[in-house]
Amino acid sequence: MVLDALIKIKNEIDPSLTFRRSCREGICGSCAMNIDGCNGLACLTKISSDSESTITPLPHMFVIKDLVVDMTNFYNQYKSIEPWLKRKTPAPTPGKEIPQSKSDRAKLDGMYECILCACCSTSCPSYWWNPESYLGPAALLHANRWIMDSRDEYTQERLDAINDEFKLYRCHTILNCSRACPKGLNPGKHIQNIKRLELSS
Amino acid sequence: MNILRPLSPHLPIYKPQLTSTFSISHRISGAFLATIVFFFYLLCLKIGLICFTYENFYQSFFYSSKLILISVEITALALSYHLYNGVRHLLTDFSGFFFRKKKIEMTVQN
């Protein structure tokens, strides 16, 4: 995989090459970068059979060094959607977990697997042109994850919080995000779900 | 001291995807159609009486440079693309309203 090539280059050719990496198995999301024009995880992208491969950092992000980019804004946007369970009433049986049916749990499939690698957000041209005001596909996917969670009781407040011209509606269904996701998730579909819920709320 | 932070490359290096190409072509064809409509509104309705009776203009527009022919061809292309993509958009964007039980996955694989 491309990560192995980067490590070999760092070991044998240029030790100053800087990149983030951790799990080497596509679950931590550290090694997200742009390989041959497409965003992906270096540890999951096969080295192409062409003689050359162009590797650049995640597009339209402030570069700290080589392939390391400043993720502060991305993480702040994730924090801004309040990605934790919020309830108004106490749990039905205090001290025990809040029960959730299998069908309700199935609604979270396709959203909880997100590893926050930022491949989707940095592939979105709309996020390129409005990085500070538009939340981006990753944060919106997580917003939907909490909106769709049957145990969370602040659904309407969550919907109202992102019902903004910029936070949600900079999405023009370009769908580059779903194309870029290395985990095979579909942020575009979930953003569409939020828009549908906004319409009927 | 005001140093601009370096930004990683975006448009120049990102490989054009099917999804993003559709989207930007929809926008460009829409803008093109809007200008064509506006241009022809100005031309035909506003200064048509003067232009189309003026021999040289009429000649170059319809006969020698074949401006009208080329612009009609390109407009037809833009219109058909914009129309089909618009219908596709409506179907995919509003499929959540029509098909609640069986959600239609949007086609994103290249």
Side-chain angles (χ1 to χ4, degrees):
Chain A
M1 299 298 179
V2 171
L3 184 64
D4 301 317
L6 286 169
I7 290 169
K8 186 181 166 81
I9 293 170
K10 193 174 170 75
N11 285 339
E12 295 169 18
I13 305 167
D14 179 14
S16 76
L17 178 66
T18 312
F19 50 91
R20 287 193 175 113
R21 84 282 176 266
S22 183
C23 70
R24 61 108 180 83
E25 59 182 356
I27 196 67
C28 71
S30 309
C31 57
M33 55 186 72
N34 187 300
I35 298 152
D36 287 323
C38 293
N39 284 354
L41 298 173
C43 57
L44 291 181
T45 311
K46 298 196 182 80
I47 301 170
S48 83
S49 34
D50 301 335
S51 59
E52 278 183 2
S53 225
T54 309
I55 301 175
T56 54
L58 289 174
H60 209 285
M61 302 280 268
F62 293 126
V63 177
I64 297 171
K65 186 179 176 187
D66 292 345
L67 297 169
V68 173
V69 293
D70 191 353
M71 301 279 278
T72 329
N73 182 39
F74 178 76
Y75 294 143
N76 285 340
Q77 284 166 335
Y78 176 60
K79 193 162 104 175
S80 74
I81 56 122
E82 300 190 343
W84 50 80
L85 193 67
K86 299 202 288 186
R87 284 181 74 85
K88 294 174 180 161
T89 61
T93 46
K96 292 208 167 224
E97 70 269 15
I98 300 162
Q100 188 180 48
S101 68
K102 275 200 174 151
S103 55
D104 280 339
R105 171 60 185 82
K107 286 186 194 155
L108 301 178
D109 288 338
M111 294 188 277
Y112 80 91
E113 300 99 327
C114 173
I115 55 174
L116 289 172
C117 63
C119 282
C120 59
S121 289
T122 47
S123 69
C124 175
S126 201
Y127 189 76
W128 292 346
W129 316 137
N130 305 296
E132 271 133 50
S133 35
Y134 176 43
L135 288 180
L140 289 171
L141 179 113
H142 280 275
N144 193 40
R145 179 250 177 277
W146 289 103
I147 288 166
M148 295 301 281
D149 197 332
S150 62
R151 300 167 292 179
D152 184 271
E153 287 171 350
Y154 273 72
T155 316
Q156 192 52 47
E157 286 85 343
R158 287 183 189 276
L159 283 169
D160 292 336
I162 52 174
N163 196 14
D164 190 274
E165 201 208 313
F166 277 101
K167 292 201 181 77
L168 170 65
Y169 291 107
R170 282 305 98 200
C171 172
H172 301 303
T173 53
I174 298 171
L175 289 178
N176 250 10
C177 52
S178 309
R179 181 74 185 77
C181 181
K183 303 296 284 179
L185 306 181
N186 193 345
K189 177 173 110 163
H190 300 296
I191 298 175
Q192 201 60 255
N193 188 44
I194 302 176
K195 289 180 183 169
R196 180 181 64 81
L197 290 171
E198 295 280 12
L199 207 58
S200 46
S201 76
Chain B
M1 205 160 65
N2 196 10
I3 305 169
L4 283 175
R5 294 182 68 181
L7 211 62
S8 54
H10 38 94
L11 265 181
I13 55 98
Y14 209 89
K15 187 174 160 197
Q17 309 285 308
L18 188 71
T19 49
S20 60
T21 315
F22 273 171
S23 178
I24 192 66
S25 311
H26 191 76
R27 195 171 266 226
I28 291 171
S29 62
F32 177 76
L33 287 167
T35 52
I36 287 287
V37 163
F38 183 62
F39 173 73
F40 271 95
Y41 156 75
L42 282 181
L43 188 70
C44 297
L45 289 171
K46 289 281 174 185
I47 53 173
L49 283 174
I50 308 163
C51 275
F52 293 132
T53 47
Y54 182 44
E55 186 67 45
N56 289 342
F57 181 85
Y58 192 87
Q59 206 173 42
S60 80
F61 196 62
F62 288 99
Y63 291 101
S64 39
S65 70
K66 299 202 176 44
L67 268 174
I68 190 77
L69 200 65
I70 296 168
S71 56
V72 162
E73 292 284 347
I74 298 174
T75 311
L77 189 71
L79 183 67
S80 55
Y81 173 77
H82 194 85
L83 192 68
Y84 293 142
N85 206 8
V87 170
R88 179 192 73 85
H89 240 121
L90 284 175
L91 283 176
T92 53
D93 291 359
F94 294 105
S95 67
F97 289 103
F98 304 136
F99 303 95
R100 278 301 173 89
K101 282 182 194 164
K102 198 171 79 169
K103 286 216 168 80
I104 291 182
E105 294 272 328
M106 291 185 281
T107 52
V108 291
Q109 287 305 313
N110 221 344

